[in-house]
């Protein structure tokens, strides 16, 4: 691929403060683009309205600038792009690829029994699948979602970090929601429309999103869009192996910044965790460009031991 056509993205959700785990993923995405002379764009994924915090967007701009992770072109904001997502939904309706679904979470849990991956919820039992798109007219004032038909497919992709990866829809909840009953697009649809519309060629994100990838690949196919390459990298976890949370100590970038920790100390620790240097010594993101490789990143999650956090805060 020529360097001009390479385009990555940073896609933070302003649902809270960005922490060391987010920074590690952004650093990998940024280096992957910059080491190839490619572009990287910034998109604010703010459609998850109940969880979005008004202060979090400004804070994440400060976090990224502080880390020395720059971006190209205008910043896209998902809530300003609802018309595009609606167009995609109309296309799916026209192809009968989605159906209106009035099932509540409780309905689905009661009807489902098939095995599923952790955190993905029960497999949708197909209660509303016999419906056609036009049946939505009959819902009147009852809230309903639009659900994507998946037909028990298996989706396979060649992940640049994980290698060839296959998942069946039965393992990840079956037919999935693309438009929420609250009248907003679901993450799965918005991210596909945006990544395609922005010409993204590589998506780097945490491996907690692996179960989303088959859904997104199926949306690309259904909408006649070309999918990007995917790179799912391990998360930063606490000593208990769970994803970073308050009980593991304060790993927010804004806290480090306020405490006078150097951005290069944070980058140094992350660079060491990715195998790009022998120790956690301070280094800038830019200095890491020639050292970038996915190959040295350990396959397991990076455990943020309390000692590492303490050393950083000194
Ligand atoms: N906005 C998502 C997050 O912050 C990332 C989505 C993606 O990279 O596809 O978790």
């Amino acid at each position: 691929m020529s360097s001009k056509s390479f385009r990555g993205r940073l896609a933070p959700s302003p649902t809270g403060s960005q922490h060391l785990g987010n920074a590690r993923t952004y650093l990998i995405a940024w280096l992957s683009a910059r080491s190839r002379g490619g572009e990287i764009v910034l998109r604010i994924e703010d459609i998850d309205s109940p969880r979005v915090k008004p202060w979090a967007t400004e804070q994440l701009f400060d976090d990224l600038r502080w880390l020395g992770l720059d971006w190209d072109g205008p910043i896209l904001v998902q809530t300003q792009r609802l018309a595009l997502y609606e167009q995609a939904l109309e296309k799916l309706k026209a192809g009968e690829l989605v159906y209106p679904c009035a099932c509540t979470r409780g309905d689905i849990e009661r009807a489902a029994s098939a095995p599923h991956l952790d955190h993905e919820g029960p497999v949708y039992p197909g209660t509303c699948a016999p419906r056609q798109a036009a049946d939505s007219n009959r819902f009147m004032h009852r809230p309903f979602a639009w659900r994507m038909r998946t037909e028990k497919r298996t989706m396979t992709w060649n992940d640049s970090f994980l290698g060839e990866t296959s998942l069946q829809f039965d393992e990840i909840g079956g037919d999935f929601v693309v438009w929420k009953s609250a009248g907003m697009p679901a993450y799965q649809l918005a991210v596909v429309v945006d990544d395609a519309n922005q010409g993204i060629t590589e998506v780097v994100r945490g491996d907690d999103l692996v179960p989303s990838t088959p859904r997104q690949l199926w949306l690309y196919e259904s909408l006649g869009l070309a999918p990007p390459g995917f790179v799912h990298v391990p998360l930063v976890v606490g000593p208990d192996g769970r994803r970073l949370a308050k009980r593991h100590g304060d790993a927010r970038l804004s806290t480090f910044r306020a405490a006078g920790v150097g951005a290069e100390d944070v980058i140094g620790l992350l660079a060491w965790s990715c195998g790009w240097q022998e120790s956690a010594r301070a280094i800038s993101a830019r200095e890491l460009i020639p050292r970038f490789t996915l190959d040295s990143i350990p396959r397991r999650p990076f455990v943020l031991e309390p000692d590492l956090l303490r050393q950083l805060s000194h």
Side-chain angles (χ1 to χ4, degrees):
M1 193 180 294
S2 87
S3 57
K4 277 238 158 51
S5 59
F6 186 100
R7 187 179 277 184
R9 42 68 149 190
L10 305 170
S13 297
T15 48
S17 290
Q18 305 291 310
H19 54 61
L20 211 57
N22 304 115
R24 191 173 189 253
T25 307
Y26 302 148
L27 179 64
I28 299 170
W30 186 86
L31 287 170
S32 183
R34 294 304 188 215
S35 65
R36 275 176 270 213
E39 295 185 339
I40 186 151
V41 298
L42 175 59
R43 182 170 72 229
I44 307 301
E45 305 214 315
D46 62 343
I47 50 169
D48 196 0
S49 42
R51 294 175 57 227
V52 166
K53 308 281 186 302
W55 47 265
T57 302
E58 275 309 314
Q59 189 182 73
L60 74 87
F61 292 154
D62 291 343
D63 290 337
L64 292 171
R65 285 196 198 102
W66 179 68
L67 289 171
L69 305 181
D70 60 353
W71 57 87
D72 302 299
I75 299 165
L76 251 65
V77 180
Q78 287 191 321
T79 46
Q80 296 169 2
R81 295 164 61 78
L82 296 176
L84 275 179
Y85 313 136
E86 271 164 26
Q87 277 167 25
L89 176 67
E90 289 308 318
K91 214 167 162 181
L92 296 173
K93 284 189 209 169
E96 292 295 344
L97 287 153
V98 287
Y99 54 86
C101 173
C103 294
T104 63
R105 211 176 283 261
D107 293 337
I108 297 169
E109 269 157 22
R110 277 189 295 279
S113 59
H116 54 83
L117 288 183
D118 281 355
H119 313 303
E120 289 306 305
V123 176
Y124 181 67
T127 321
C128 293
R131 292 208 168 99
Q132 300 236 301
D135 293 336
S136 63
N137 297 332
R138 289 196 241 134
F139 280 83
M140 305 295 286
H141 298 299
R142 231 166 102 210
F144 65 94
W146 287 97
R147 209 174 265 280
M148 185 80 184
R149 298 183 195 281
T150 57
E151 318 284 2
K152 297 192 183 298
R153 272 185 182 71
T154 300
M155 304 304 284
T156 302
W157 72 98
N158 196 2
D159 194 287
S160 302
F161 187 77
L162 301 175
E164 187 167 292
T165 308
S166 279
L167 278 175
Q168 280 181 14
F169 278 108
D170 273 358
E171 297 173 278
I172 52 168
D175 291 0
F176 59 93
V177 170
V178 293
W179 203 271
K180 297 191 261 189
S181 57
M184 289 288 277
Y187 154 71
Q188 308 294 352
L189 182 65
V191 83
V192 164
V193 168
D194 285 341
D195 282 335
N197 182 269
Q198 291 189 280
I200 303 302
T201 59
E202 184 186 83
V203 166
V204 176
R205 59 189 178 196
D207 62 10
D208 55 327
L209 286 169
V210 164
S212 287
T213 305
R215 299 175 183 137
Q216 292 169 20
L217 287 170
W218 179 223
L219 280 168
Y220 278 104
E221 199 176 320
S222 304
L223 292 166
L225 301 168
F230 289 96
V231 187
H232 290 95
V233 294
L235 299 182
V236 177
V237 297
D240 56 0
R242 312 273 296 272
R243 74 167 72 193
L244 277 193
K246 285 212 178 85
R247 65 178 178 285
H248 299 129
D250 194 343
R252 290 176 293 181
L253 302 174
S254 52
T255 304
F256 295 140
R257 207 165 58 238
V261 176
E264 300 194 354
D265 294 315
V266 172
I267 300 278
L269 174 67
L270 297 175
W272 168 71
S273 81
C274 290
W276 302 322
Q277 60 176 0
E278 296 289 308
S279 70
R281 74 174 181 85
I283 192 165
S284 70
R286 204 152 279 283
E287 284 172 284
L288 288 171
I289 294 175
R291 302 193 192 183
F292 172 75
T293 171
L294 289 175
D295 296 341
S296 62
I297 303 177
R299 312 250 116 207
R300 50 189 190 284
F302 172 50
V303 183
L304 187 63
E305 297 291 353
D307 264 1
L308 294 173
L309 198 53
R310 230 172 288 137
Q311 278 163 29
L312 202 56
S313 309
H314 264 163

